[in-house]
Amino acid sequence: METRKSKLVIIPTYNEIENVEKIIRAVFALEGGYHILIIDDGSPDGTAKAVQKISKEFPDRLFLIERAGKQGLGTAYITGFKWALGKGYDYIFEMDADFSHDPNDLPRLLAACGRGKADFAIGSRYADGVSVVNWPIGRIIMSYYASVYTRTVLGTKIKDSTAGFLCYSRKVLEGIDLDAVKMKGYGFQIEMKYTAVKKGFKVAEVPVIFVNRKAGTSKMSGSIFGEAFWGVIGLRFRKF
């Protein structure tokens, strides 16, 4: 496989017009020839049109899938994973558009997998204490204890089970029945990690600093956490 096609960063978007061009250019400024797939859920603010415009500069590295309306974070990533596998990428990343995930950490996640010590790597906010900047204290507590709750119920050692900054090696995504992944919100992140671990894949947690978005609005809601809470209990009794 050609090296230039080995790394794909998947970025789901909904109303990210203030961030999308900046995040694309930040990833492309890195060495290593990363490609980007934007999956936009019908953003009314023109996010997809902005990506189309930028893609003229990077026709072989920037790709766009437009979907009708908000269909959920999980379904966006599943769509992206299937696209990436079909195109032959070796390493597939998850990353937010709002710079809460630092593009400069992408090589660190890749290195954790590339050394052969892990099959997938998590950009972890809680690997070394709590590494979160500018989050309201209530959200920090909710996020941290969501991971504690998940570890307790599922019996895993993952410290940041809800993290959305990851690098998957191709074999992990090939080893998971993507059509069987049920959760669509942030519970999707828990389900993917737990399924990968139960399938016997090795995980590494790479400490990162998570910075709250400066532009745009968060897509977090109470229903998303509700799905994750009850979904974790369901995962505990799933057979693999």
Side-chain angles (χ1 to χ4, degrees):
M1 180 177 300
E2 297 179 358
T3 302
R4 65 182 180 84
K5 283 192 64 176
S6 66
K7 300 178 286 293
L8 179 72
V9 181
I10 301 175
I11 305 177
T13 57
Y14 183 77
N15 285 349
E16 292 290 354
I17 191 65
E18 297 171 273
N19 296 303
V20 70
E21 180 173 356
K22 295 175 184 177
I23 197 72
I24 288 169
R25 295 191 184 281
V27 172
F28 285 161
L30 299 171
E31 295 182 359
Y34 292 85
H35 289 191
I36 297 175
L37 172 63
I38 301 290
I39 302 178
D40 187 71
D41 273 7
S43 297
D45 69 348
T47 297
K49 290 182 179 179
V51 176
Q52 290 171 354
K53 182 178 179 180
I54 303 165
S55 67
K56 295 176 182 178
E57 294 182 48
F58 308 100
D60 299 322
R61 297 177 64 189
L62 177 59
F63 308 97
L64 170 68
I65 293 177
E66 294 183 73
R67 307 196 306 169
K70 296 180 70 174
Q71 300 180 42
L73 182 75
T75 65
Y77 276 125
I78 294 297
T79 297
F81 292 159
K82 290 180 178 180
W83 189 93
L85 293 176
K87 297 294 183 180
Y89 288 93
D90 292 322
Y91 296 99
I92 297 94
F93 298 80
E94 294 184 14
M95 191 174 74
D96 290 347
D98 61 7
F99 284 93
S100 55
H101 304 142
D102 186 347
N104 292 307
D105 286 327
L106 289 170
R108 298 175 60 228
L109 296 181
L110 179 65
C113 294
R115 289 192 295 265
K117 295 181 179 180
D119 300 310
F120 69 106
I122 302 167
S124 178
R125 298 163 292 185
Y126 308 127
D128 289 336
V130 178
S131 299
V132 177
V133 177
N134 293 334
W135 250 13
I137 187 64
R139 188 169 176 184
I140 293 175
I141 292 171
M142 184 180 296
S143 174
Y144 178 79
Y145 281 102
S147 287
V148 173
Y149 164 75
T150 300
R151 286 202 307 273
T152 302
V153 174
L154 298 182
T156 70
K157 296 181 179 180
I158 296 174
K159 293 183 178 180
D160 193 354
S161 56
T162 61
F165 193 23
L166 295 98
C167 174
Y168 286 106
S169 62
R170 179 184 182 87
K171 63 182 179 181
V172 175
L173 299 182
E174 289 180 327
I176 293 175
D177 182 358
L178 297 175
D179 290 325
V181 177
K182 297 179 180 179
M183 286 191 267
K184 293 180 171 57
Y186 282 83
F188 162 83
Q189 303 292 3
I190 299 171
E191 184 172 359
M192 282 293 298
K193 296 178 187 68
Y194 181 63
T195 302
V197 169
K198 293 296 286 185
K199 291 282 187 179
F201 293 109
K202 295 179 292 183
V203 58
E205 289 196 72
V206 178
V208 299
I209 297 175
F210 183 96
V211 180
N212 196 29
R213 68 163 62 235
K214 294 181 180 179
T217 57
S218 173
K219 314 306 186 294
M220 187 66 66
S221 70
S223 63
I224 288 174
F225 274 100
E227 180 205 44
F229 179 87
W230 294 109
V232 166
I233 295 175
L235 282 176
R236 178 65 180 83
F237 297 99
R238 182 182 298 181
K239 294 183 179 180
F240 292 86

